[in-house]
Amino acid sequence: MARKKIIAGNWKMNMTPSQAVELINTLKPLVVNDDVDVLFCVPAIDIIPAMEAAKGTNINIGAENMYFEDKGAYTGEISAEMLVDAGVKYVIIGHSERREYFAETDETVNKKVLKALENGITPIICCGETLTQREQGVTIDFIRQQIKIAYLNVTAEAAATTVIAYEPIWAIGTGKVATTEQAQEVCKAIRDCIAEIYDDATAAAIRIQYGGSVSASSAPELFAQPDIDGGLVGGASLKVDFGKIVCYNK
Ligand code: PGA
């Protein structure tokens, strides 16, 4: 069965609740594409107003992060149960900015992935190498390690429902998009790694996004690659350009 593309915006720390509603109202007529699952991952405080604004549209609202404990004395954190109660079905886990600025590790990523799955939320698991790692020729080794740890104790059945976002760190917010060949090569290596951990059917089911300076002009070629099933889009998801990215095949 062909994998349905999934194109997600990652708003990062942008948009107040009222700006979020305004942006969704602007974008909703522009992001209609039956071939694509459309997702806006928004700051936690925007989730409820964004859900309301997206009601009756094809836009899904996701979170940018969550904690791996169920509840308790973790000031400032948000639980999976809170996301579920708000209607959230997707959460970004282990974005490179979380790893760099908030000390997330492959181990915390794994705990969050397990907790999201336990609660019926689809994790979008981020991986990606630094420029130094790419130059040292260790990109694939590094990403295989990130993937193997992220999926520890995840069953094949659950793994098949997850989404992976390959985001080379040097391409995030820099305007430097990976070449189509670089992006396809790593996304294929990720799929091969999933086949090794699980089996071919799981590898064939899992959706793998590319992220890092995706734009309306780079999207069509990237998303036409056999192992690239959509994108995780930062900067361009806050603009009307996101409509062009979602409608990349129209
Ligand atoms: P960018 O961000 O599209 O602005 O490079 C992508 C991301 O960090 O998810």
Side-chain angles (χ1 to χ4, degrees):
M1 213 179 78
R3 292 180 296 271
K4 191 173 183 186
K5 297 275 192 249
I6 176 165
I7 301 179
N10 172 12
W11 286 11
K12 309 193 179 187
M13 196 174 74
N14 295 293
M15 300 289 138
T16 65
S18 52
Q19 288 167 341
V21 170
E22 208 175 307
L23 182 59
I24 289 170
N25 285 334
T26 305
L27 286 178
K28 66 186 176 191
L30 307 177
V31 295
V32 178
N33 184 350
D34 290 343
D35 304 330
V36 172
D37 285 333
V38 179
L39 174 64
F40 291 9
C41 294
V42 306
I45 198 167
D46 295 346
I47 289 173
I48 289 173
M51 281 282 176
E52 197 57 39
K55 230 180 223 158
T57 74
N58 63 319
I59 300 169
N60 291 285
I61 302 298
E64 298 178 11
N65 181 33
M66 54 162 257
Y67 198 49
F68 53 74
E69 294 291 354
D70 287 326
K71 61 166 72 173
Y74 305 102
T75 303
E77 291 297 319
I78 303 226
S79 71
E81 188 187 9
M82 293 171 193
L83 295 181
V84 169
D85 192 60
V88 167
K89 299 207 168 57
Y90 296 88
V91 60
I92 299 173
I93 300 289
H95 189 279
S96 60
E97 289 150 16
R98 301 281 331 158
R99 295 176 191 252
E100 182 177 355
Y101 306 128
F102 303 99
E104 294 202 12
T105 63
D106 290 336
E107 287 70 26
T108 62
V109 167
N110 175 238
K111 287 183 182 176
K112 290 181 178 195
V113 167
L114 289 166
K115 189 53 70 178
L117 289 167
E118 182 189 316
N119 284 273
I121 304 174
T122 301
I124 298 178
I125 304 163
C126 299
C127 61
E129 81 287 3
T130 61
L131 187 57
T132 308
Q133 288 167 328
R134 177 157 285 273
E135 286 169 354
Q136 290 169 337
V138 299
T139 296
I140 305 277
D141 291 338
F142 177 72
I143 284 166
R144 282 172 56 86
Q145 175 168 328
Q146 286 187 316
I147 294 296
K148 283 183 181 172
I149 299 173
Y151 283 88
L152 283 175
N153 301 316
V154 175
T155 64
E157 197 189 341
T161 69
T162 61
V163 177
I164 296 173
Y166 166 55
E167 300 202 299
I169 295 169
W170 49 271
I172 296 177
T174 57
K176 240 194 231 174
V177 61
T179 65
T180 308
E181 293 72 28
Q182 287 171 327
Q184 163 59 24
E185 183 198 13
V186 179
C187 289
K188 172 160 194 322
I190 292 170
R191 201 177 300 287
D192 291 345
C193 183
I194 293 290
E196 265 174 56
I197 302 171
Y198 300 103
D199 49 57
D200 288 347
T202 308
I206 217 163
R207 293 188 288 181
I208 305 175
Q209 300 174 314
Y210 167 80
S213 299
V214 172
S215 65
S217 59
S218 61
E221 203 180 296
L222 284 165
F223 301 165
Q225 300 308 303
D227 289 294
I228 302 180
D229 306 313
L232 183 57
V233 184
S237 72
L238 300 168
K239 306 184 205 148
V240 291
D241 263 33
F242 193 59
K244 294 197 192 116
I245 294 175
V246 168
C247 299
Y248 74 98
N249 61 342
K250 300 289 170 198

